[in-house]
Amino acid sequence: MTNTNKHSFKIIGVIAAVLMLASCASNPPVCSSPQSRNLDSAINSVKSSLNSGCQAQFDRYYDDLLMIAEGDPKPENKRAFSEFLVWSSEQGLLSTRQAQDYYNRYFNVKFMSMRGDYNNCSHTCPNQQKVLFDMERELSDKERGLLKISTDADAYYRADRLYQEVELVLEATCTACAASR
Amino acid sequence: MNPSLAASCAAHTARVRSRRSYVSAITLNLIIAMVITVPAYATNSPTIRLFPTTVVEDLRQTGNVARDMETGLQDVIGRLDQQQQLYQESKCDGAENDTGCQRLARQIGATYLEMLTIMEERLPDMEHTVNNTRISLEKGLRNEIGKKMTPWTLQETLLGTVSATGETSVTAPTLRGRSGMRLSERFKQYYQLVATSGSRGDQSLAVLASDIYLDMEETSTLIERTRQEIARATLMEQLNQSFGIITPEMMEVVGGVKSILFGDEESRALVAGPPPGSLEQAYRSPLEQ
């Protein structure tokens, strides 16, 4: 082998090593979806992915977990989601308020869309249609969380009734508020 | 000290003492009343005042006015039904030039005018009581729910306080859509619901008040429009009397009045039952709000 050839091999080797290192450094973490159909195992897998730099995928993981839980609906699923969200909050992945939103939107009768600090005449009535639209969307999430995942039909029916009551009371109240103007 | 002045002072002191003891008695009564009342409301604080006694009285009065109107119209509508039946059985449809049919048509027209006159006489009373109820409820809803509550507190009020056993207090049935009910029956039911509202939670009161208010709004508009229509229909019928014509509009108006006043059995509205199940939960998340 000539000296030129040896020199060429060395250069190629160096380039290959640099490329390999560069590719390792820029590769994003592999944020694959949980493979297990068991909720507890899936939660553990998601926790490990979230700890490995996949925080940005939180919404997708939460949806994956909801889908897995739908496959094995039972009342205990509610607790599993609550504990997962408390863990996420403790790890700093979510703020307490975000964790509450994620939980209550799916597993509580109360509507997070009805959160507000101002009175109904001044704040809710001007946005009445939007509030009701948001509530309707949240109701379908509650159907998923309460009915399809936690098998808590009573709680879901109460949420459904609450939505209808809010619709009626808001219609009357906003008519009354508008009448004073 | 001057004896008369002393006597006056003594009398004044006695009056002050008497007034104080009177005030104390009132205060004591108030305290006793509060002690008795507070536990009843403690479960649903803050208590909302949507049904002052004036509303209860207005509802009762509206029910009475509606009943009087029904009684007054029952006879005339019964006669109209008989006359229409006779008209159809005599095969007068298409035989308007027949003298007998013309006479029957005029009789129907006269009874129709009688019905319009009775309605014209009774509607102002009805309008007055309905408007009173509507205005009182409007004020209550605006102040108690519109201005004193946020959407979140409204939601909590509607859900009611969950008792230690996890069961919510009983809510009133939702009443929207009572087209098949007699007018006086409807107000009677409202009155009974409101009069016994003390035993209900705020959550059902808010729904009930909203329900009655929206119904009063519709009724009020309907009465106003009916009064305008009556004037027009009376004039038209007076003209028709000279020709002995039965217009389809007449039949329609009579049918409408019958269904409003006496209800329609076929379209009787279903009254919703209590909410299904309780809210008893085995698990309560620390994240739950």
Side-chain angles (χ1 to χ4, degrees):
Chain A
M1 197 179 277
T2 62
N3 269 349
T4 320
N5 278 346
K6 275 183 188 170
H7 193 66
S8 299
F9 274 123
K10 271 182 188 172
I11 291 170
I12 290 166
V14 168
I15 290 170
V18 167
L19 282 174
M20 275 174 68
L21 282 171
S23 68
C24 281
S26 64
N27 251 6
V30 183
C31 299
S32 55
S33 292
Q35 297 303 307
S36 173
R37 296 292 99 187
N38 174 282
L39 185 63
D40 290 335
S41 310
I43 287 176
N44 286 334
S45 152
V46 167
K47 279 181 181 176
S48 133
S49 300
L50 289 170
N51 274 335
S52 318
C54 294
Q55 300 94 317
Q57 304 293 318
F58 191 91
D59 279 349
R60 181 169 64 83
Y61 281 129
Y62 194 69
D63 196 57
D64 286 342
L65 292 177
L66 289 170
M67 208 149 42
I68 290 165
E70 276 181 82
D72 182 18
K74 54 189 176 198
E76 298 81 55
N77 286 343
K78 204 185 258 194
R79 179 196 291 268
F81 275 93
S82 168
E83 286 171 358
F84 168 67
L85 289 167
V86 169
W87 174 86
S88 303
S89 171
E90 284 168 357
Q91 295 296 308
L93 301 168
L94 298 176
S95 66
T96 309
R97 184 141 181 162
Q98 281 175 315
Q100 285 171 345
D101 274 346
Y102 273 108
Y103 181 81
N104 290 296
R105 186 172 180 87
Y106 288 89
F107 300 102
N108 192 3
V109 173
K110 287 182 195 169
F111 285 81
M112 301 313 281
S113 327
M114 288 286 278
R115 210 144 60 169
D117 300 322
Y118 302 105
N119 74 49
N120 287 310
C121 277
S122 67
H123 180 73
T124 321
C125 290
N127 305 304
Q128 194 185 345
Q129 289 313 310
K130 190 188 175 299
V131 170
L132 291 173
F133 178 71
D134 290 346
M135 281 182 81
E136 205 177 334
R137 288 209 309 198
E138 190 173 338
L139 186 65
S140 70
D141 287 340
K142 289 187 193 304
E143 183 184 10
R144 198 175 180 197
L146 292 170
L147 201 64
K148 294 181 180 168
I149 293 176
S150 315
T151 60
D152 192 353
D154 290 345
Y156 171 68
Y157 292 139
R158 186 63 193 99
D160 183 46
R161 191 180 161 89
L162 178 63
Y163 168 70
Q164 290 171 33
E165 287 174 349
V166 167
E167 195 179 18
L168 173 75
V169 175
L170 274 187
E171 191 188 340
T173 305
C174 293
T175 309
C177 292
S180 71
R181 284 181 202 133
Chain B
M1 189 188 271
N2 184 339
S4 63
L5 187 66
S8 159
C9 277
H12 176 74
T13 313
R15 271 201 306 275
V16 168
R17 272 191 193 147
S18 147
R19 204 178 297 149
R20 271 186 196 152
S21 62
Y22 177 68
V23 170
S24 305
I26 290 175
T27 316
L28 188 66
N29 281 341
L30 277 173
I31 291 168
I32 291 169
M34 277 168 73
V35 167
I36 294 167
T37 323
V38 162
Y41 291 101
T43 51
N44 283 309
S45 58
T47 302
I48 48 173
R49 258 178 63 80
L50 287 170
F51 291 109
T53 45
T54 49
V55 173
V56 184
E57 187 49 36
D58 285 340
L59 278 173
R60 197 181 61 79
Q61 212 175 330
T62 313
N64 290 343
V65 173
R67 199 192 51 226
D68 290 348
M69 193 154 112
E70 281 166 14
T71 314
L73 285 172
Q74 207 149 16
D75 171 55
V76 74
I77 285 179
R79 258 188 294 139
L80 260 176
D81 280 344
Q82 283 175 355
Q83 287 168 341
Q84 272 173 29
Q85 201 181 342
L86 184 64
Y87 189 82
Q88 278 161 2
E89 283 169 359
S90 310
K91 305 210 184 313
C92 285
D93 285 324
E96 283 82 10
N97 293 330
D98 181 84
T99 326
C101 288
Q102 280 185 354
R103 199 169 48 242
L104 270 177
R106 279 204 192 90
Q107 280 172 2
I108 294 175
T111 317
Y112 177 64
L113 267 178
E114 204 180 319
M115 185 193 86
L116 293 179
T117 312
I118 293 172
M119 285 186 77
E120 198 178 16
E121 281 169 6
R122 306 275 183 177
L123 276 178
D125 278 353
M126 188 84 183
E127 191 173 34
H128 180 70
T129 52
V130 164
N131 276 341
N132 280 352
T133 316
R134 183 179 60 84
I135 291 165
S136 302
L137 283 170
E138 190 172 271
K139 203 172 151 192
L141 283 166
R142 186 168 57 236
N143 291 336
E144 299 292 324
I145 298 179
K147 291 185 177 167
K148 288 186 190 167
M149 285 189 192
T150 65
W152 190 260
T153 49
L154 167 63
Q155 172 169 237
E156 288 188 322
T157 305
L158 289 173
L159 272 175
T161 310
V162 181
S163 67
T165 56
E167 287 177 0
T168 49
S169 41
V170 179
T171 57
T174 303
L175 292 163
R176 294 292 292 162
R178 298 145 302 262
S179 57
M181 197 182 279
R182 255 173 193 263
L183 204 59
S184 60
E185 262 314 302
R186 189 196 299 183
F187 286 105
K188 192 176 158 196
Q189 201 178 63
Y190 279 156
Y191 173 70
Q192 281 169 347
L193 283 169
V194 174
T196 57
S197 63
S199 59
R200 293 170 200 279
D202 285 346
Q203 72 274 28
S204 64
L205 286 188
V207 174
L208 187 60
S210 304
D211 200 21
I212 299 176
Y213 172 67
L214 289 174
D215 198 32
M216 294 293 119
E217 274 269 309
E218 284 170 27
T219 310
S220 194
T221 315
L222 198 68
I223 289 174
E224 200 185 317
R225 275 168 47 194
T226 308
R227 287 187 68 186
Q228 287 166 0
E229 278 301 303
I230 283 174
R232 195 188 61 82
T234 307
L235 181 67
M236 286 301 290
E237 189 41 39
Q238 279 163 351
L239 286 171
N240 286 341
Q241 274 291 293
S242 30
F243 306 107
I245 301 165
I246 298 174
T247 60
E249 187 194 38
M250 262 169 68
M251 299 301 125
E252 215 173 287
V253 170
V254 175
V257 169
K258 273 164 71 179
S259 76
I260 289 171
L261 287 175
F262 307 117
D264 176 6
E265 282 300 322
E266 284 172 16
S267 64
R268 189 173 289 276
L270 293 172
V271 177
S278 67
L279 285 177
E280 196 167 359
Q281 296 294 322
Y283 173 67
R284 194 175 165 84
S285 164
L287 294 168
E288 202 164 302
Q289 290 196 313

